[in-house]
Amino acid sequence: MKKVCIVMGSDSDLKVMEGCMNKLDTFGVPYDVRIVSAHRTPAAAEQLSRNAVADGYGVIIAAAGKAAHLGGVLAAQTTLPVIGVPIKSSFMDGLDSLLSIVQMPSGIPVATVGVNGADNAAILAVQMLALSEPELSEKLVQFKADMQAAVEAKDEKIRAQFAK
């Protein structure tokens, strides 16, 4: 099975990205975690993305705040799908990060989840990997069924609580 490469622009992004790691763990998807800055270590970012396929990755998840160029820098040097996770910063509540990631030039797409959307980034990565991994497809079907059952249980509980 191919791995996911989780890249953060800073260790301050770790608290948010732990949700991504936990979600990948639930699906049994292997991953590596790196801290690479698009601005402070651009050569390392280039090397990581150029070697990603050879290193066994199937998807890259890039988390960054503020200017948030990391996902685009990585996407420019690889054919792998890149998922951007905009991190909520103290400035603009993460809108700056979201816009930096989502506004990519033609030819360099970065799939983007919501601000601090680490769990959804993991699920999207699993969906991408599941295109060639049938056992992941089965786990996704079960995941969706479990979500449905949880909502139905909450609905039943709330209906009973407020029944007149």
Side-chain angles (χ1 to χ4, degrees):
M1 177 183 305
K2 295 208 182 271
K3 301 181 290 184
V4 173
C5 185
I6 301 170
V7 188
M8 295 173 281
S10 168
D11 61 348
S12 64
D13 304 332
L14 181 58
K15 185 172 182 170
V16 170
M17 294 310 293
E18 285 175 341
C20 177
M21 295 171 224
N22 292 337
K23 190 62 73 178
L24 290 172
D25 286 338
T26 65
F27 284 99
V29 173
Y31 58 85
D32 292 327
V33 181
R34 300 283 308 272
I35 295 176
V36 177
S37 171
H39 303 108
R40 295 182 186 104
T41 60
E46 180 180 354
Q47 181 180 3
L48 185 148
S49 57
R50 284 187 185 272
N51 295 326
V53 172
D55 289 341
Y57 298 116
V59 179
I60 297 172
I61 298 175
K66 298 183 182 176
H69 295 132
L70 182 59
V73 166
L74 297 173
Q77 305 291 334
T78 187
T79 57
L80 292 178
V82 176
I83 303 168
V85 180
I87 301 294
K88 181 178 179 178
S89 61
S90 59
F91 183 71
M92 296 180 69
D93 285 334
L95 181 59
D96 51 339
S97 306
L98 175 65
L99 294 175
S100 293
I101 295 173
V102 79
Q103 292 294 343
M104 292 301 301
S106 179
I108 311 294
V110 175
T112 309
V113 297
V115 174
N116 285 2
D119 285 15
N120 272 349
I123 294 165
L124 183 55
V126 172
Q127 289 174 321
M128 291 172 176
L129 294 173
L131 293 171
S132 61
E133 299 285 345
E135 70 274 4
L136 285 181
S137 291
E138 293 169 17
K139 289 179 180 181
L140 283 164
V141 168
Q142 186 60 54
F143 174 74
K144 299 272 184 170
D146 292 346
M147 282 195 309
Q148 178 180 338
V151 171
E152 289 169 348
K154 290 176 185 179
D155 177 52
E156 186 176 318
K157 179 181 176 182
I158 201 87
R159 289 174 63 200
Q161 181 180 348
F162 292 101
K164 295 196 181 205

